[in-house]
Amino acid sequence: MPRTSPLDGLRFAFGTLTVFPVRVTRWDRQAARGGMLCAPLAGLAVGAAAAAAGLVLLFLGAGGPLAAVATVAVPAVLTRGLHLDGLADTADGLGSGKPAEDALRIMKQSDIGPFGVITLVLALLAQAAALAQAYDASWARGACAAVVSATVARLALTLAARSGVPAARPEGLGAAVAGVVPIRGALLAGVAVTGGAAAVAAVFGPYDVARTALAVLLSLAGAEALLRHCTRRFGGITGDVFGGLAETAATTALVVLSLG
């Protein structure tokens, strides 16, 4: 098997997690490992684009709520709505109360059920409301919240792809990335993102350093709780579960950053 270069991992991350015009040249386990380790970088790019959209509207005279809606919309566009769709499908699967095989079949259906709709609406409302509050505080806080939430959302995927987490199906994105990331690599990625987010928040003061670090940790804790529950219910992870984890982490981060 050919050696994997860092560019293979970047291509995998951006090619599978965003709509950026990046062609995935390798689809093997080694490339998937590099890709999932690079997932936070894809989140950083998505968050920067989302923050830019919000800031443009603010500087054109729009208020915080409209800037927040734009900031929420950009990640949905840049991921083709896959993470939001995954959140809705995961909610339908879990809410069905069916055995694993039936729940997975429900998640593969193209339509969205009542659990999915309710979960999707509440998550988007929470994200927009938290971002609006951040933008009302200052444009810099709003931009920071957008970048941090998008980055930690993809960090949750890195941790979910760690060794020991099985795939629920033999095919799909979940099977391609399940268990590819060494635990040490996942932990190092978590430390790097947490430290980087706290360092950026230092411009606002010591309290924001602590709050931002707490937002990252609580986001990962929420995603981990959902991961464990889905693993028990479905027998492993799927692409839909990955989407649910990302949106859960992003929403948690924004809510925590809006507190205090």
Side-chain angles (χ1 to χ4, degrees):
M1 181 177 293
R3 294 180 61 184
T4 303
S5 74
L7 286 179
D8 290 326
L10 285 172
R11 290 191 188 100
F12 190 98
F14 280 85
T16 58
L17 300 178
T18 75
V19 298
F20 293 126
V22 177
R23 186 168 64 91
V24 179
T25 56
R26 292 181 55 179
W27 190 259
D28 53 63
R29 300 284 286 180
Q30 289 187 355
R33 179 183 302 113
M36 297 315 294
L37 285 170
C38 291
L41 295 178
L44 180 62
V46 170
L55 293 180
V56 167
L57 285 177
L58 284 179
F59 293 153
L60 290 177
L66 186 56
V69 171
T71 303
V72 171
V74 168
V77 172
L78 292 182
T79 60
R80 297 188 183 91
L82 289 179
H83 292 163
L84 291 171
D85 180 67
L87 174 66
D89 287 342
T90 300
D92 280 333
L94 292 175
S96 70
K98 302 286 187 180
E101 184 176 348
D102 293 333
L104 289 171
R105 185 168 57 251
I106 289 172
M107 292 165 65
K108 289 194 69 173
Q109 295 175 356
S110 59
D111 60 327
I112 299 178
F115 288 105
V117 171
I118 293 171
T119 302
L120 202 56
V121 169
L122 291 178
L124 290 173
L125 284 175
Q127 292 177 14
L131 280 165
Q133 183 172 331
Y135 279 127
D136 285 341
S138 74
W139 66 266
R141 290 182 183 276
C144 182
V147 173
V148 169
S149 63
T151 304
V152 75
R154 279 70 186 179
L155 173 61
L157 305 187
T158 303
L159 299 181
R162 68 184 184 270
S163 301
V165 179
R169 299 191 185 102
E171 75 286 338
L173 179 62
V177 302
V180 298
V181 177
I183 293 178
R184 182 184 178 187
L187 291 176
L188 289 176
V191 170
V193 171
T194 304
V200 171
V203 300
F204 304 118
Y207 175 76
D208 287 276
V209 172
R211 180 171 61 178
T212 301
L214 181 63
V216 174
L217 295 176
L218 289 180
S219 297
L220 298 179
E224 179 66 18
L226 178 59
L227 172 65
R228 290 175 180 269
H229 184 52
C230 289
T231 301
R232 287 194 300 269
R233 284 281 285 108
F234 307 140
I237 56 174
T238 68
D240 285 331
V241 172
F242 271 104
L245 295 175
E247 292 299 330
T248 297
T251 304
T252 303
L254 289 172
V255 170
V256 175
L257 290 172
S258 72
L259 301 177

